[in-house]
């Protein structure tokens, strides 16, 4: 009520827009939050990630995919952005488009186990398999302690999907 009234007087006020978006999010009112975030001039990296996530949650797959791809293009040296964009692109069913961003994230931060995990997920999907970590994709390219930790987390259902499967031989030279 008060926020909408204030936004009527100050439509380009960033603080009001963000406060209103957060208020809508706290009530799980995603579409009003999306409209408010879309109205931001020069959104930050974090604001754009939030918008893309909300678009995906509400089933606006095409817009979410475009937003994630744009983020990856705008921030090619930000491992976190590339990892999150790549992961979310996988969830949107576009492994072929998500894997390059995950590869870039692992090159920028080679000890980021989560990025390696999602790269394996994407590689498994690209090779026609189900979503699932594939040690064969990564053997020899990832520190063993990261792989072991990922396997432990996957076994407890903390990350990923259907546990540990192998989709490629261990002597593969490329992750995908």
């Amino acid at each position: 009520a008060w926020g909408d009234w204030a936004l009527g007087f100050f439509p380009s006020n960033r603080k009001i827009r963000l406060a209103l978006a957060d208020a809508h999010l706290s009530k799980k009112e995603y579409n009003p939050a999306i409209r408010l975030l879309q109205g931001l001039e020069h959104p930050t990296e974090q604001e754009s990630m939030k918008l893309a996530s909300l678009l995906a949650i509400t089933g606006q797959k095409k817009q979410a995919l475009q937003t994630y791809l744009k983020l990856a293009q705008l921030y090619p040296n930000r491992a976190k952005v590339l990892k999150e964009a790549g992961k979310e692109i996988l969830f949107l069913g576009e492994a072929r488009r998500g894997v390059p961003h995950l590869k870039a994230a692992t090159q920028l931060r080679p000890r980021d186990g989560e990025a390696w995990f999602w790269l394996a997920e994407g590689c498994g999907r690209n090779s026609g398999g189900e979503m699932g970590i594939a040690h064969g994709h990564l053997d020899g390219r990832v520190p063993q302690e990261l792989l072991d930790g990922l396997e432990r987390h996957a076994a407890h259902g903390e990350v990923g999907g259907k546990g540990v499967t192998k989709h490629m031989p261990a002597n593969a030279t490329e992750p995908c």
Side-chain angles (χ1 to χ4, degrees), residues 60-78:
Q60 298 175 60
K61 179 181 173 180
K62 186 176 180 180
Q63 284 183 287
L65 182 61
Q66 290 171 346
T67 305
Y68 282 121
L69 290 171
K70 183 178 178 181
L71 274 164
Q73 185 179 26
L74 287 173
Y75 303 101
N77 296 317
R78 296 282 309 213

Side-chain angles (χ1 to χ4, degrees), residues 93-161:
E94 297 280 342
R96 179 184 54 77
R97 295 171 95 176
V99 164
H101 304 301
L102 293 164
K103 283 183 182 180
T106 60
Q107 290 170 355
L108 289 168
R109 293 186 64 199
R111 298 201 51 85
D112 184 340
E114 186 182 0
W116 283 104
F117 175 85
W118 290 112
L119 177 57
E121 292 280 334
C123 290
R125 179 56 63 131
N126 266 348
S127 65
E130 292 183 13
M131 291 291 273
I133 187 170
H135 270 234
H137 291 289
L138 304 175
D139 285 346
R141 286 175 286 287
V142 181
Q144 188 60 44
E145 68 271 13
L146 291 179
L147 288 176
D148 293 342
L150 290 173
E151 186 171 314
R152 253 191 328 277
H153 290 296
H156 295 294
E158 296 170 7
V159 291

Side-chain angles (χ1 to χ4, degrees), residues 14-29:
R14 178 179 217 79
K15 288 183 180 181
I16 293 173
R17 282 189 169 280
L18 293 173
L20 280 172
D22 287 341
H24 284 296
L25 286 175
S26 71
K27 295 187 275 182
K28 298 189 186 314
E29 297 172 348

